[in-house]
Amino acid sequence: QVQLVESGGGLVQAGGSLRLSCAASGRTFRRYAMGWFRQAPGKEREFVAAISWSGVNTYYEDSAKGRFTISRDNAKNTVYLQMNSLKHEDTAVYYCAADRDCSGYGCYSVVMYEYDYWGQGTQVTVSS
């Protein structure tokens, strides 16, 4: 079992930056691919970024490319999402998730239902 706790959300002006953190419990975290998703009011949850357990592979949703960076520190059981040049449309609750079946060196997933563990979410609000 893995428990995930997000932090780092808040209110920021458009063009600003935030760094989200996701702290995981459990030694097996370092073998799980991780992802960030977000859900805006009235919309479905959507994929933002993913990273393999090794960190060798990352993948981003198109609107996040060039602005967001996903990274992880397995020694600290933490995955991060650095968000720069934030836009009003980035406003959402951001969730981190762990995929226990994606354990290959370069494996990552963009598919929400493939993730097994989820955090409670952290609110990001970008004022225009």
Side-chain angles (χ1 to χ4, degrees):
Q1 188 76 11
V2 173
Q3 292 185 326
L4 305 173
V5 179
E6 301 97 334
S7 62
L11 174 65
V12 63
Q13 289 186 334
S17 298
L18 283 174
R19 188 176 82 153
L20 305 184
S21 299
C22 173
S25 64
R27 294 178 297 175
T28 50
F29 162 82
R30 62 194 62 189
R31 288 297 186 182
Y32 293 169
M34 298 294 295
W36 284 96
F37 292 77
R38 66 186 180 187
Q39 187 166 17
K43 295 186 177 181
E44 294 185 352
R45 193 171 299 188
E46 64 178 8
F47 168 79
V48 177
I51 187 168
S52 59
W53 74 259
S54 63
V56 68
N57 282 338
T58 58
Y59 190 81
Y60 299 90
E61 183 265 337
D62 284 347
S63 71
K65 291 178 182 177
R67 299 189 301 129
F68 294 3
T69 302
I70 187 171
S71 62
R72 66 191 296 161
D73 185 338
N74 287 340
K76 295 182 178 180
N77 277 11
T78 303
V79 63
Y80 304 97
L81 185 67
Q82 176 68 43
M83 304 187 295
N84 299 328
S85 302
L86 282 162
K87 305 175 182 179
H88 178 66
E89 50 264 42
D90 294 317
T91 296
V93 177
Y94 283 71
Y95 300 90
C96 71
D99 184 347
R100 67 186 175 191
D101 295 321
C102 193
S103 58
Y105 188 73
C107 183
Y108 62 87
S109 175
V110 304
V111 181
M112 188 168 59
Y113 70 78
E114 292 185 349
Y115 284 82
D116 305 285
Y117 305 106
W118 292 82
Q120 82 291 347
T122 185
Q123 176 70 48
V124 171
T125 302
V126 184
S127 62
S128 56

